[in-house]
Amino acid sequence: QVQLVESGGGLVQSGESLTLSCRVSGFTSANYATGWFRQAPGKEEREWLGTIGDSNDNTNYPDFAKGRFVAARDFAENIVTLRMNNLKPEDTGVYFCAAIEISPGWPVVSLYWAGQFHLWGRGTQVTVSS
């Protein structure tokens, strides 16, 4: 059974950085893609922040996240991280990681909306104060 568990959320001040972790277990191989999403307070939709595939070179981000959010995989520990820099109050929300199995080397440019991912963690709260 695949499980994803997020950690690393908390309260930070505007301009600070934070790294979230997603511990992934249950996959029989490393051939999966992990997406990061967030849900802002009072909103139902989950906003895509980035996707990483089966290598650290296989990533994709929305324009607003490029250069500020960076995803990475630790293959030995089965952990996917999201490094977030220069955080702003509008970054406040619940952050989720999600996963989907992919073919080896599958480019993640086509994986960017929540409905494509069928395995989800429960989320971790990030609050950015001004």
Side-chain angles (χ1 to χ4, degrees):
Q1 181 179 358
V2 175
Q3 289 188 322
L4 293 85
V5 180
E6 302 92 340
S7 62
L11 174 64
V12 297
Q13 293 189 341
S14 183
E16 292 184 339
S17 298
L18 194 64
T19 299
L20 305 181
S21 294
C22 174
R23 181 172 292 277
V24 183
S25 61
F27 279 110
T28 57
S29 75
N31 299 325
Y32 60 89
T34 306
W36 283 99
F37 296 83
R38 68 184 176 194
Q39 188 169 359
K43 293 191 175 181
E44 291 190 7
E45 65 274 15
R46 294 182 179 182
E47 181 179 32
W48 174 58
L49 304 175
T51 305
I52 183 166
D54 54 359
S55 78
N56 282 308
D57 295 328
N58 188 8
T59 57
N60 189 28
Y61 304 93
D63 287 344
F64 77 86
K66 290 178 181 177
R68 200 161 69 93
F69 291 2
V70 181
R73 278 181 70 167
D74 181 333
F75 292 89
E77 298 293 331
N78 290 327
I79 292 175
V80 181
T81 58
L82 182 69
R83 174 71 173 176
M84 305 183 292
N85 299 310
N86 189 24
L87 285 164
K88 307 169 185 178
E90 52 264 43
D91 293 317
T92 293
V94 180
Y95 283 66
F96 299 88
C97 60
I100 182 172
E101 289 180 305
I102 59 173
S103 299
W106 183 266
V108 297
V109 291
S110 61
L111 299 175
Y112 53 84
W113 60 283
Q116 294 172 297
F117 295 83
H118 61 283
L119 300 162
W120 288 80
R122 293 189 175 184
T124 185
Q125 175 71 43
V126 173
T127 303
V128 185
S129 64
S130 58

